[in-house]
Amino acid sequence: MTADRIRPRDRDTIVQSLRAGVVPRAGQQHVQVGRQHEVTSLVRDIERIADGGSTSRFVIGEYGAGKTFFLHLVRSIALKQKLVTMHADLAPDRRLHATGGQARGLYAELARNTATQAKPDGGALGAVVERFVTQAMTTARDRGASPETVIRERMAELSELVGGYDFAEVIAAYWRGHDTGNEQLKSDAVRWLRGEFTTKTDARSALGVRTIVDDASFYDQLKLLSRFVRMAGYSGLLVCLDEMVNLYKLTSSQARSANYEQVLRIVNDSLQGTAAHVGFLFGGTPEFLMDTRRGLYSYEALQSRLAENSFATNGLTDYSGPVLRLSSLTQEDFFVLLSKLRHVFASGDPVAYLLPDEALQAFMQHCSERIGDAYFRTPRTTIKEFLNLLSVLENNPGADWRVLLGSVRFEQDVNPDLEPLDATADDDELVGFKL
C-alpha cells in the first residue's frame, strides 16, 4: 500500500460518494482494483481515437458490479491523454432518438458534462472554444492575416458534414464577441453549442444562424464536436453514455427500434471508419444487451454486429470485441479494495488506520455469511457498510470493531431493471406515442 498522503478534498469526495452509493467524480485511481485486461483494452481504444480512428464499446455488467465506476475510470484516463470527454446518463427524458426534445436533452446533458484535463468536473465547452480562438489568433499573427480569416479557413473542412456551415458561423460569432468585448455574443455562441436554444427564431436573432441542435441533429453535432476539439488542439472526443437500460425499459417497440437504429448508426460509423477522432462507451446490464424481445439483441442488425467471439469459451477471453463484459471481482480483489478504502479513509496515513488486517478478513467473512459471494461480485452495498463502520469508529474512538461487526446488516442489491414492466402500456398498445 502506498504511503502517499491523500488530499482532504479527495478523501472526502471519495468517502462521501461511496457511502451514498454513487461513484466519486475524482480519485478513482485510489480505489481501483482488478480488471487490468479491461482497462488495458480501453486504453488501446483511447490511443486509436487519438490516432484518428473511432470506436464503440458496450460495457456490460451486472447491477451493482461497478460499470459506472469503470466508465469514470476510463474517462479519467482519457483526460490524461488529452481527450475531451462528455458523459451523461440516459433517462426517460434523455434518449438517443426522439421528436419531443428528449434527444436534445441528452445532448445538452452531455454538453454540460464536457470535461478536459484542466476542467475535469465539466463545463469545459466554453474553454475549448476559447482555446481554439486563441490558437487562431496566434496563427493569424504569425501569418499577418486576420483571425477571422484564419478561423473561417480552419472551419471550412466542417462544411462537408451535416450542420457544419452553421457550426462554423457560431464559432465565427464567438470570435466577433471576443474581438469586440461582446460577452453576450460569446455566451450565446456557447449556449448554441450546448444545445440550449429551443427555437430557431431565437438562434437566428442572437447569432444569425437558421438551425439549432435538436433531436434530429444529436449525433451529427457530436461528430462536428469531435472534429472541432481536434482543431482546438485536443486528441479527440470520448462520449460515455450510461444507464442504457432506459432504452430497454421503453414500453413502445416503435420508440425502442428508433433508438436502437441510432445505436446501429453509431456502431456502423465506428466499424466502417466514417467517424474520426471519436469514441463511444455505452454502459448497460446483460438484460439490455441480450434480451431478444426488448434488448439490443431484439434488433437483428445489432445482434449480428455485437455477437461475441464464439471461440472465447472455457476460460478463454477476447477483450477486443465491441462488447466488453466486466469480470466480477475476486475475494482477493475485494480484500485489496477494503485495504485501499481503509487507506483513503485515513487520508493516506498508515498510522491512522482504524482497522487491522484481521478486521478486514473478519468483515469479509461476516459478509459472506450474510449474502454469499454477492458481497464481492456486486460490492456496492458492502462498500457502503464498510465505510459506515469506519465512520462509527472514527467518531467513537473507544468502540470495539468486533462488537460493531456483529451489528452490521446486509441486503443484497436487487436489480430494479428486472422488475416487471408496465403491462398496461406495453409495446404497440400505445396509440399515438410520440417518439
Side-chain angles (χ1 to χ4, degrees), residues 376-397:
F376 62 84
R377 295 185 182 278
T378 53
R380 174 165 32 202
T381 299
T382 42
I383 289 172
K384 289 171 61 176
E385 291 304 323
F386 182 72
L387 291 172
N388 287 339
L389 174 61
L390 289 176
S391 182
V392 170
L393 291 171
E394 180 184 44
N395 288 282
N396 301 274

Side-chain angles (χ1 to χ4, degrees), residues 75-149:
R75 280 183 49 244
S76 68
I77 295 171
L79 292 176
K80 292 178 181 178
Q81 298 298 320
K82 290 189 64 179
L83 268 71
V84 175
T85 69
M86 307 175 83
H87 70 278
D89 291 350
L90 270 70
D93 61 342
R94 293 199 295 265
R95 56 181 104 137
L96 298 173
H97 183 280
T99 57
Q102 295 92 336
R104 188 187 67 81
L106 177 59
Y107 174 84
E109 182 69 10
L110 285 168
R112 280 192 293 272
N113 292 327
T114 301
T116 62
Q117 188 171 13
K119 299 192 69 172
D121 294 330
L125 191 52
V128 172
V129 180
E130 187 71 24
R131 177 170 173 166
F132 171 81
V133 168
T134 301
Q135 290 183 346
M137 291 172 64
T138 301
T139 302
R141 185 170 56 251
D142 294 341
R143 288 172 44 187
S146 72
E148 184 163 0
T149 299

